[in-house]
Amino acid sequence: MSVPTLHASVTLDRLTFTWPDGTTALDSVSGSFGSGRTGLVGRNGAGKSTLLRLMAGELNPTTGSLTTTGEVAYLPQQLTLDVDRRVSELLGVAEALDAVRAISAGDVDQAHFDAVGDEWDIEARAEQSLAEAGLAPEFLDRRVGELSGGEAVLVAIAGIRLRRAPITLFDEPTNNLDRDARAKLAAMVRSWKGTLIVVSHDLSLLELMDDTAELYAQTLSVFGGPYSEWRAWLDAEQEAARQAEVTAKQEFRKEKRQRIEAEVKLAHRSRTAKKAEIEKRVPKIIAHGRKMAAEVSAGKLRTEVGAKEDAARTALDEAGRRLRSDASMKIELPDPQVSRSRRIAMIGDGERSWIIQGPDRVALIGRNGAGKTTLLERLVAGAGVGGGVGVGESAPMPTIGPDDGSTALSEESLLNTERPALTATALTDRIGYLPQRIDGLDENRSVFENIADAASQVPEKELRNRLARFLIRGATAERPVAALSGGERFRVSLARLLLSDPAPHLVVLDEPTNNLDIDTVDQLVEALRAYRGAVLVVSHDDAFLARLDLGLTLEIDAEGALHEAL
């Protein structure tokens, strides 16, 4: 493994964290993160987000310690904001900015000077931060609610950068960002000063990292290089481990066979000696001497062959420990029994329409705020009634965010601009929908109870067997949903969708790769490619879309018009 960046900024010493329900998220984890940019990877449920929250001070270790060399700034996986706040507040500069403006207007109150401190250039710096997020200077005084979800994330990141915290943590920062926003984020990351630790499944973002850290089996290891180099090293190491295991198995079988052969030989000698003694072919004293010598020789031989077999077994065990035996989610979509000519849905723009039928694979793309999620919601809402609902028509938006009066920003929820009357018509009532925001689960009930509600006709034993394919088994099935990571929530929601009966003719997915580890994305790709029904997917993840064998890609442009993407 390459040598990681030196000068530790975050150090873990036998760090353990246990949730109130007794579930252990991290168990005696030790290691350190160096200065520079580090991508933190690992399977869903490995404890990555929990570790970031511990670093940020949102959680306290159960045992062990975590030390940092300076202030920590943190961008959580789910950004929850008050849409009535000004953008300058989101940037964290409102107080100093208002004070500078008051002084410039002639107000010499000492409180203003105290608020400014040394930040006399705060407005210029704030405007520069907005420019990096792709926003004009006048956005400083606008409401957060006037931003799209992607713009709000970029402004939050720009605000973190403006604070100049020596250590910054990002948890899945590219979720819901469109292509332009991802490019702006990449530009900011390339020039980031200080320590930056990023949890992400975005391969393009991970390639910008100096180091790659992996949280695996309660062990933190750090590799000096970006994700692709770490992956190549890991693949080579695992191939070497597989070869070592094959060699060790062969050696163990050989030593075991030789031990058995030695035991057979010794047994034959013993029988021959006993027969000679019975037949008294040699004097008793000589026979006794030969017996004693044979026992000594047999003991020595057993010791030698036994030691070789034990050594071979130990080598085999060590080779086996080097091999990873990760359980992979086995996503097998049901056969919806739909013909290739069966029309399932229609999407149009008033002048032209596109039919989705049979096993079609269709992607819907466009910038944040273009109306993609809204179009999906209208399609799903119309399932079974045969009528399309225009995006431009008046209809209540779904409630999002917690019940505390704040709003978790999503791609479509903050825009109320006039758009062409795009239409989405459901031609079947069998549509399975996995929304961008997984908020349809009962937080206080267990995983199994949530899924059983959607599969009430399936016997409990059979249901638990099916859930095991999604790595939902044992204690995991009994955990409350509130204790799950984003990736675990996705598995639960996906399992609930796929256990529906009858199987959906059309599977609709909105940003399905958000919060998924890279291995699970691979499993999802293979499942969708093998699915015999139709698939409609919204995603900003170009690498993911390129693997789906798409037959059609539709794009909603900046003006809200729909057309086939080039």
Side-chain angles (χ1 to χ4, degrees), residues 495-516:
R496 191 169 65 166
L497 168 66
L498 298 184
L499 289 175
S500 62
D501 186 23
H505 287 154
L506 172 65
V507 171
V508 179
L509 305 170
D510 194 354
E511 295 290 357
T513 61
N514 284 358
N515 308 319
L516 289 187

Side-chain angles (χ1 to χ4, degrees), residues 532-564:
R532 296 189 180 186
V535 174
L536 174 60
V537 58
V538 165
S539 179
H540 294 302
D541 189 335
D542 290 333
F544 170 70
L545 292 178
R547 300 168 61 191
L548 292 182
D549 294 335
L550 296 170
L552 174 66
T553 299
L554 297 175
E555 181 175 10
I556 304 177
D557 63 24
E559 287 70 41
L562 186 67
H563 58 85
E564 292 188 29

Side-chain angles (χ1 to χ4, degrees), residues 1 77 114 135 137 156 285 288 337 348 373 388 394 400 404 412 443 449 480 489 511 529:
M1 182 178 290
Q77 191 173 120
D114 293 339
L135 299 177
I285 189 170
H288 180 70
Q337 302 293 326
T373 293
S394 175
I400 58 175
D404 58 5
E412 324 293 350
E443 298 286 313
E449 289 172 331
R489 285 170 179 264
E511 295 290 357
R529 289 178 59 171

Side-chain angles (χ1 to χ4, degrees), residues 226-241:
Y227 179 84
S228 62
E229 293 180 10
W230 170 79
R231 187 77 233 186
W233 170 84
L234 180 63
D235 290 344
E237 196 278 335
Q238 286 296 288
E239 179 58 30

Side-chain angles (χ1 to χ4, degrees), residues 347-352 354 364-372 374-375 390-393 411-412 415 417-423 554-564:
I347 297 176
D349 62 1
E351 296 183 358
R352 184 181 176 188
W354 290 265
L364 181 63
I365 64 174
R367 65 181 296 276
N368 283 338
K372 303 183 299 298
T374 302
L375 193 60
V391 172
E393 298 174 13
E411 178 188 348
E412 324 293 350
L415 301 181
T417 57
E418 292 294 327
R419 299 194 178 280
L422 303 182
T423 59
L554 297 175
E555 181 175 10
I556 304 177
D557 63 24
E559 287 70 41
L562 186 67
H563 58 85
E564 292 188 29

